[in-house]
Amino acid sequence: MILSKNIAILGSTGSIGNSTLEVVRNNPMFFKVVCLTANRNVNDLARQVNEFKPNYVYIDSPELISDLKLKIHDTETKIIESKKDLCEILASPEIESVVSAMSGSSGLFLTNHALVNNKQVLLANKESMVMAGPIFKKFKHNIIPVDSEHNSVFQLIDRSVDFVSNIVLTASGGPFRELPISEFKNITKDMALKHPNWSMGEKITIDSATMMNKCLEIIEAFYLFDFEPEDIDVLIHPESIIHSIINFLDGSSICQFSEPNMQIPISYALAYPQRISSGRPSYDLAAKSLTFQKPDLKKFPSITFAYNALKNSANHCLILNAANEIAVDNFLQQKISFNNIFNIISDSFDLPDNEILDNIDDTVHADELYRAKINEIINKYYL
Ligand code: NDP
Ligand code: MG
């Protein structure tokens, strides 16, 4: 049986963070939560500390530390007061596995830090992989994907891609799969935040509505599994039961399925290479009909963006991620329309390549330069 594993959860108050803690709650004998982190949600973070009694807790907003102190005064949990101290603790032997569940580019620095310090990383934060693919690739042996499609591919082929002809990532198609393209101009923030199958954080919910989530996932799969871009396909599957399909050279295919609940891939990643209860039942295939269709690339240029970025360079993956993140932020603030998310990403593609991105400092620096340029484009043409 699994020995107890010491874990840190970066972004414990989010959707993935909470699902991870639910799996831990169901399997207290297998996991010790050593460190929890959040950005601003001091109430949920304190509640988690009071329940899971980690050795350490970190909140990325210094002004909230005194509030956190008050809320957890009954525990022996130490509050980490600086990012430098957090880095030391993440690198220490006290922690074996790090769940990377922060949202967007905020996850890049600490995910990289965990990897370079030889920690096993349970990777939900796909944006960091898109930004630093060439660097993270070197640590692939220590990454277990949590993203449901990639976790599914990982379950099906583990680390060997022998005899595979191509892989298929499924996509729900989001809330606007059936909406005519002529209606896209009327899409509001509230409409886009209603995902039909998954309950997730705001940024990834908008990414699902634009299908930029699948764009990021094609790039994530490229770096995780080493397939050529043309061997990574997307299939619309509105019920989100089958998470990936592997087609072998001999014409045989296998797939992995479960109900759409992140506790299942998270429990697999946490217990790998063993299995534990995720707290969810097996899926009953007789429950409903499963349907499939090709993606509509006219309505959703996002999928084409992924192949274009991969054909160009790692810089283009960085640009695409930054342009999407900034555009989504503007859309959530109701400053730009839904369609302009696509237009901003498309315009940003014309930015020139910078230096070769083979270390994290250059990647962060290039990301900052690109973001400044993308903001200029948005201010000039979209606000
Ligand atoms: P949420 O927005 O629900 O949660 C994000 C977490 O990160 C919160 O704990 C938040 O803290 C923390 N955080 C955000 N910004 C910062 C920051 N600057 N510094 C420190 N902590 C920060 O996101 P999700 O859980 O939905 O997604 C997390 C990641 O997992 C994303 O990359 C997403 O693409 C990926 N993913 C998510 C899936 C899902 O089903 N949700 C499925 C597959 C992948 P606070 O609460 O204090 O703001
Ligand atoms: Mg996914």
Side-chain angles (χ1 to χ4, degrees), residues 43 95 111-112 119-120 156 189 199 205 222 226 235 301-302 305 328 347 366:
N43 289 334
I95 289 168
T111 306
N112 178 66
K119 303 297 164 180
Q120 181 185 62
L156 292 168
K189 170 182 166 180
S199 149
T205 304
F222 172 80
D226 250 348
L235 183 66
S302 349
F305 290 159
V328 169
D347 286 359

Side-chain angles (χ1 to χ4, degrees), residues 126 147-150 198 204 213-214 217 220 262:
K126 66 191 86 184
D147 209 347
S148 56
E149 300 78 1
H150 306 70
W198 300 93
I204 185 175
N213 185 46
K214 220 41 59 178
E217 290 188 356
E220 183 185 15
M262 287 306 292

